[in-house]
Amino acid sequence: MKSSLTLFLAAFTPAIFHAAPPAFNAEGYRIPQPGATLEFPRAHASHPDFRIEWWYLTGHLFTAGGRRFGYQATFFRSALKPPEEQDASAFGNSQLYMTHMALTHPEDETFLFEQRLARDGWDATARTDRLEVRNGNWSLTADPLFSSLQLNASIRSEAAWDLVLIPEKPLIRFGPDGTSRKGPSEEARSYYLSFTRLRTSGTVEVGDRSFTVEGASWMDHEIASNQLDPELVGWDWIAIQLEDGWEIKAYLLRREDGTPSEYSALIWIDPEGKTTYRGIEDFQWEKSRFWTSPHSGGRYPVAPIIRALHPVDGRERVFRFEPVLKDQELDLPGSTYWEGAGDILNEAGESIGRAYLEMVGYAGPIEGLR
């Protein structure tokens, strides 16, 4: 998902699975294994024997008076050397931590963002026994039973937010064999874990104003070593939370000729947490309206329309994403992409949910993501 930041993609394909992947890649990093048992809550912590990993949170927050905020908090870990060469010195040179924070404030028509990059040690770290990730004063932690999470974030001196997040639905582990596929190579897979609905409360500060907020968040945790198929030039990804208790994760993995990879997918998640997968032939993603960034020059399809058959009654549903702000682009050194909050409208134009949309590869190549 970004250039120097190896983004997540929850890719599944209804293809026939071939031979099991090797345990390690050519560099000595572990490869996710089909059918592997993960130990929880330990699996929510860091996995330095895999090359890349991230904890990705997005959410929609509201004050009692209806003021709205959207937020993104992304903690990336990337190994700088294979596991057998890693050490635990105070001034670490084994892991690199890149963290992105963003806050959308539609009433003020502002979008704030910041990036931090640090090696492991005093400024940044991730525990391996439980979830505790930190980059400076930014942190994501969970209690021992993983019944609640705490997120502390800020953007320079302009904004800050402290949130408590409580899972309202079971953990989702994507992929029919416990791994999420991203390409034809047997190594192109990940362990991909999601809490698709977290009840969220806390405070948001903007300038000298402080707001008490409540809302809902979505958290992804992905662990991998070989991420993307080399033929990909970008992706469009959306996480939808519907008012009826369903969620949808959908993404297009884009080839250079503009066609979607067969590893693109749409995943329905019912109110109890059961998943239903749809391949690229079973849903439509229409790029209906574009916005050109005055910062990067990237041209983004900011209002996609998605059509898919509902798993229960088989009838087509139409979901139109309407951004709360057009300019939600993170124009960062080496990492330019659009990620923002919006509403989900049905075919009649009625609001039926909320979503976060991410678009990568529209403002430059993604070579740094492979």
Side-chain angles (χ1 to χ4, degrees), residues 81-103:
K81 55 180 67 175
E84 67 273 12
E85 300 177 22
Q86 296 176 9
D87 58 55
S89 62
F91 297 95
N93 59 3
S94 298
Q95 308 292 332
L96 184 66
Y97 294 94
M98 181 164 60
T99 310
H100 288 181
M101 295 293 172
L103 185 72

Side-chain angles (χ1 to χ4, degrees), residues 248 266 268 278 282-284 306-310 315-319:
I248 297 171
L266 182 146
W268 292 87
R278 303 293 191 203
D282 293 323
F283 71 95
Q284 299 175 9
I306 298 170
R307 294 178 170 85
L309 301 181
H310 199 283
R315 298 176 60 186
E316 183 180 82
R317 299 293 196 277
V318 177
F319 306 103

Side-chain angles (χ1 to χ4, degrees), residues 130-194:
R130 61 183 176 88
L131 177 58
E132 184 177 311
V133 188
R134 179 177 57 82
N135 194 336
N137 65 328
W138 298 347
S139 64
L140 174 66
T141 61
D143 65 35
L145 298 179
F146 216 84
S147 58
S148 68
L149 298 86
Q150 180 81 40
L151 174 65
N152 299 104
S154 63
I155 299 174
R156 297 173 295 276
S157 61
E158 300 171 68
W161 56 102
D162 296 330
L163 302 175
V164 174
L165 306 96
I166 299 174
E168 293 190 301
K169 297 181 68 169
L171 175 71
I172 305 296
R173 180 176 174 180
F174 287 104
D177 65 358
T179 65
S180 172
R181 293 294 299 273
K182 300 167 182 63
S185 168
E186 284 300 320
E187 297 183 14
R189 62 178 76 226
S190 66
Y191 295 131
Y192 181 39
L193 313 171
S194 289

Side-chain angles (χ1 to χ4, degrees), residues 165-170 195-200 215-216 271:
L165 306 96
I166 299 174
E168 293 190 301
K169 297 181 68 169
F195 286 100
T196 60
R197 201 171 293 250
L198 296 134
R199 178 160 45 90
T200 306

Side-chain angles (χ1 to χ4, degrees), residues 60-370:
H60 310 271
L61 306 173
F62 298 85
T63 67
R67 184 178 291 266
R68 180 172 185 172
F69 298 93
Y71 82 89
Q72 172 199 349
T74 311
F75 295 83
F76 295 90
R77 178 199 60 78
S78 179
L80 298 172
K81 55 180 67 175
E84 67 273 12
E85 300 177 22
Q86 296 176 9
D87 58 55
S89 62
F91 297 95
N93 59 3
S94 298
Q95 308 292 332
L96 184 66
Y97 294 94
M98 181 164 60
T99 310
H100 288 181
M101 295 293 172
L103 185 72
T104 302
H105 190 189
E107 282 78 3
D108 284 3
E109 297 187 345
T110 57
F111 179 68
L112 306 173
F113 58 90
E114 185 179 354
Q115 172 179 269
R116 290 181 184 173
L117 194 63
R119 292 176 182 268
D120 54 318
W122 290 351
D123 288 334
T125 188
R127 293 182 60 149
T128 59
D129 59 336
R130 61 183 176 88
L131 177 58
E132 184 177 311
V133 188
R134 179 177 57 82
N135 194 336
N137 65 328
W138 298 347
S139 64
L140 174 66
T141 61
D143 65 35
L145 298 179
F146 216 84
S147 58
S148 68
L149 298 86
Q150 180 81 40
L151 174 65
N152 299 104
S154 63
I155 299 174
R156 297 173 295 276
S157 61
E158 300 171 68
W161 56 102
D162 296 330
L163 302 175
V164 174
L165 306 96
I166 299 174
E168 293 190 301
K169 297 181 68 169
L171 175 71
I172 305 296
R173 180 176 174 180
F174 287 104
D177 65 358
T179 65
S180 172
R181 293 294 299 273
K182 300 167 182 63
S185 168
E186 284 300 320
E187 297 183 14
R189 62 178 76 226
S190 66
Y191 295 131
Y192 181 39
L193 313 171
S194 289
F195 286 100
T196 60
R197 201 171 293 250
L198 296 134
R199 178 160 45 90
T200 306
S201 60
T203 59
V204 173
E205 297 178 7
V206 180
D208 58 359
R209 297 172 293 173
S210 181
F211 303 94
T212 299
V213 294
E214 294 184 349
S217 299
W218 180 306
M219 175 180 168
D220 290 325
H221 179 200
E222 191 164 16
I223 307 153
S225 290
N226 294 3
Q227 266 303 90
L228 301 175
D229 187 42
E231 70 173 1
L232 298 179
V233 299
W235 56 84
D236 301 63
W237 167 90
I238 196 166
I240 299 173
Q241 295 170 320
L242 297 173
E243 293 175 357
D244 62 5
W246 286 74
E247 291 90 33
I248 297 171
K249 178 186 293 297
Y251 46 87
L252 291 181
L253 310 182
R254 306 191 315 273
R255 299 189 181 99
E256 188 170 0
D257 63 4
T259 61
S261 162
E262 65 271 25
Y263 289 86
S264 303
L266 182 146
I267 306 159
W268 292 87
I269 301 139
D270 78 6
E272 283 70 49
K274 178 183 176 182
T275 55
T276 302
Y277 291 85
R278 303 293 191 203
I280 187 59
E281 69 281 357
D282 293 323
F283 71 95
Q284 299 175 9
W285 186 304
E286 177 187 344
K287 300 176 181 182
S288 65
R289 195 169 75 244
F290 289 77
W291 171 79
T292 299
S293 168
H295 318 293
S296 69
R299 186 170 180 263
Y300 297 94
V302 295
I305 299 172
I306 298 170
R307 294 178 170 85
L309 301 181
H310 199 283
V312 174
D313 60 19
R315 298 176 60 186
E316 183 180 82
R317 299 293 196 277
V318 177
F319 306 103
R320 177 162 64 88
F321 178 83
E322 189 64 38
V324 295
L325 283 178
K326 291 179 181 178
D327 189 352
Q328 296 183 80
E329 181 190 52
L330 288 86
D331 187 14
L332 297 165
S335 304
T336 297
Y337 61 101
W338 195 102
E339 175 131 18
D343 293 311
I344 293 296
L345 310 181
N346 63 14
E347 200 165 15
E350 302 163 329
S351 178
I352 57 172
R354 302 181 184 97
Y356 248 80
L357 172 67
E358 175 183 85
M359 296 175 286
V360 174
Y362 290 98
I366 60 168
E367 293 299 325
L369 302 182
R370 298 196 180 104

